[in-house]
């Protein structure tokens, strides 16, 4: 939905699919469940090889499962050098350490649950990997706040139980947006942080069945943030910074950008770093600001990379580094722009 990270607000009517995860390779039952399925495109670390010890410890990309039970992986040697070469090798499953994907540089099992951005197996078929939060290959069930994979969701629509939630057994015969928001509101009022975040997103942009009310959006983002929802903290920070739904308060913006960043929100990390660099709502601290920007850059945030490069360039010319700046969120989730001023 809307600005900032608000388009991450989930709806069972808007699902994205991932064809690479529809048919994951068969799993070895001896592999610990803390490891992720060896799905094509997933990163893994090679461990315990005897004949090819040169490969141990290398990060590889899984290609596909082979008929002999091994996994084909691509290894890159001399990456980003003139001598770069690639090799596809077949590795036994037990020699691959696969992890649930990280988002915002946060390892699975840490504060990812607060962010709602973990990868999980579909609780029905237990075959398909869903990306919860990004809503990738997942159908979000507003009644209980849980998700099932797109394939299982479609299959349920052709059964006599299509009007009943396959997980909590609630009546979902009314598929209208009004009913969906009613279910989300009920969970939000019971203290569900994810529902609070979603409800805030609906208020922030407005829908045919719910009026735009950014003051109310700020209230629900605040409640979500206090429950540990990092997206709620990030959106609340943006609201304070931009004066949406209330007065501009740069100090509060910096506070909640930090809160979001500490809970794994990549844009929150970058925005807090920028606030430190410019002294926007917080005491200016170039050294600490660079540390936060580096965290954002290491997690893959392009804005953090750009601002670090700009700082180094200005420093090389004898400048003071980052000056004051204005950060603005575009209408696309996770996209921001920064202008020097």
């Amino acid at each position: 939905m809307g600005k900032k990270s608000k388009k991450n607000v989930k709806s069972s009517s808007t699902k994205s699919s991932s064809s690479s995860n529809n048919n994951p390779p068969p799993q070895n039952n001896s592999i610990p469940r803390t490891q992720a399925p060896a799905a094509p495109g997933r990163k893994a670390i090679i461990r315990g090889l005897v004949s090819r010890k040169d490969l141990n410890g290398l990060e590889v990309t899984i290609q596909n499962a082979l008929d002999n039970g091994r996994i084909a992986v691509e290894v890159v040697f001399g990456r980003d050098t003139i001598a770069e070469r690639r090799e596809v090798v077949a590795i036994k499953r037990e020699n691959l350490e696969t992890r649930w994907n990280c988002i915002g540089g946060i390892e699975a099992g840490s504060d990812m649950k607060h962010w709602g951005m973990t990868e999980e197996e579909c609780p029905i078929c237990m075959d398909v990997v869903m990306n919860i939060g990004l809503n990738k290959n997942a159908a979000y069930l507003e009644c209980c706040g849980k998700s099932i994979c797109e394939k299982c969701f479609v299959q349920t629509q052709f059964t006599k139980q299509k009007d009943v939630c396959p997980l909590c057994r609630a009546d979902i015969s009314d598929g209208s947006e009004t009913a969906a928001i009613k279910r989300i509101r009920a969970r939000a009022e019971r203290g569900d942080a994810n529902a609070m975040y979603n409800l805030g997103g609906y208020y922030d942009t407005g829908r045919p069945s719910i009026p735009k009310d950014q003051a109310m959006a700020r209230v629900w983002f605040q409640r979500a943030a206090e429950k540990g929802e990092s997206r709620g903290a990030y959106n609340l920070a943006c609201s304070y910074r931009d004066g949406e739904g209330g007065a501009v308060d740069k100090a509060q913006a910096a506070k909640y950008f930090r809160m979001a960043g500490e809970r794994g929100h990549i844009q929150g990390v970058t925005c807090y770093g920028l606030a430190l660099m410019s002294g926007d709502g917080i005491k200016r601290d170039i050294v600490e600001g660079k540390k936060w920007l580096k965290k954002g850059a290491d997690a893959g945030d392009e804005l953090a990379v750009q601002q670090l490069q700009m700082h180094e360039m200005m420093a090389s010319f004898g400048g003071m580094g980052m000056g004051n700046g204005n950060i603005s969120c575009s209408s696309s989730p996770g996209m921001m722009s920064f202008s020097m001023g």
Side-chain angles (χ1 to χ4, degrees), residues 17-283:
S17 62
S18 173
S19 58
S20 64
N21 284 333
N22 285 340
N23 297 292
Q27 299 299 300
N28 186 327
N29 290 331
S30 65
I31 304 303
R33 293 305 300 154
T34 53
Q35 290 200 33
R42 188 181 297 281
K43 301 295 183 181
I45 305 295
I46 296 178
R47 305 287 189 195
L49 292 183
V50 177
S51 60
R52 291 291 306 270
K53 292 183 178 180
D54 60 308
L55 299 180
N56 288 331
L58 295 181
E59 183 181 73
V60 297
T61 303
I62 295 172
Q63 302 298 301
N64 57 277
L66 303 176
D67 292 339
N68 62 6
R70 296 188 177 226
I71 307 294
V73 301
E74 182 184 62
V75 188
V76 181
F77 298 94
R79 186 183 297 274
D80 298 326
T81 69
I82 193 172
E84 179 179 309
R85 66 183 179 86
R86 297 170 182 265
E87 179 182 349
V88 176
V89 296
I91 304 291
K92 290 182 179 180
R93 178 64 182 86
E94 55 263 35
N95 293 119
L96 287 176
E97 179 183 307
T98 54
R99 296 179 179 177
W100 297 100
N101 285 350
C102 302
I103 299 177
I106 305 300
E107 291 287 348
S110 59
D111 280 344
M112 294 271 296
K113 289 287 185 182
H114 289 299
W115 195 11
M117 301 294 274
T118 56
E119 284 193 333
E120 297 178 4
E121 281 185 342
C122 172
I124 294 182
C125 65
M126 301 187 72
D127 271 339
V128 177
V129 177
M130 309 177 297
N131 195 317
I132 310 300
L134 292 181
N135 215 27
K136 182 178 180 182
N137 197 27
Y140 178 71
L141 306 171
E142 300 95 349
C143 47
C144 54
K146 301 183 183 300
S147 297
I148 62 175
C149 76
E150 183 180 27
K151 179 181 177 181
C152 287
F153 177 79
V154 171
Q155 288 178 343
T156 64
Q157 302 309 296
F158 294 93
T159 70
K160 294 180 179 179
Q161 300 297 312
K162 65 182 181 65
D163 292 332
V164 177
C165 173
L167 299 182
C168 72
R169 312 308 294 170
D171 181 0
I172 55 173
S173 56
D174 186 348
S176 67
E177 183 180 78
T178 299
I181 293 176
K182 182 179 180 181
R183 290 191 286 265
I184 290 174
R185 184 186 297 279
R187 288 195 301 107
E189 291 175 346
R190 291 196 298 268
D192 186 298
N194 185 38
M196 291 173 177
Y197 160 74
N198 278 277
L199 188 57
Y202 281 118
Y203 272 119
D204 186 67
T205 58
R207 305 289 291 179
S209 56
I210 190 169
K212 182 175 181 177
D213 186 340
Q214 292 187 317
M216 187 59 68
R218 184 181 283 195
V219 168
W220 284 109
F221 289 145
Q222 173 91 43
R223 293 177 182 177
E226 290 172 352
K227 284 280 189 176
E229 170 54 81
S230 69
R231 294 170 299 174
Y234 174 74
N235 283 358
L236 179 62
C238 288
S239 295
Y240 276 122
R241 184 198 60 207
D242 301 335
E244 295 179 343
V248 171
D249 190 328
K250 295 298 181 67
Q252 286 290 89
K255 171 186 174 180
Y256 285 105
F257 277 137
R258 176 167 186 161
M259 181 185 291
E262 288 176 338
R263 291 171 179 164
H265 196 290
I266 180 172
Q267 284 87 18
V269 170
T270 298
C271 285
Y272 184 64
L274 290 171
L276 285 167
M277 296 291 275
S278 63
D280 202 14
I282 192 171
K283 183 179 179 181

Side-chain angles (χ1 to χ4, degrees), residues 273-326:
L274 290 171
L276 285 167
M277 296 291 275
S278 63
D280 202 14
I282 192 171
K283 183 179 179 181
R284 192 179 189 196
D285 189 332
I286 298 294
V287 174
E288 189 68 13
K290 284 182 66 177
K291 290 180 181 179
W292 279 82
L293 286 180
K294 188 176 186 307
K295 289 180 184 179
D298 290 345
D301 188 74
E302 293 183 7
L303 178 61
V305 174
Q306 294 168 3
Q307 297 309 312
L308 280 174
Q309 291 174 342
M310 183 181 297
H311 172 78
E312 295 301 329
M313 180 181 69
M314 295 178 70
S316 68
F317 283 101
M320 295 299 293
M322 293 286 293
N324 292 325
N326 295 313

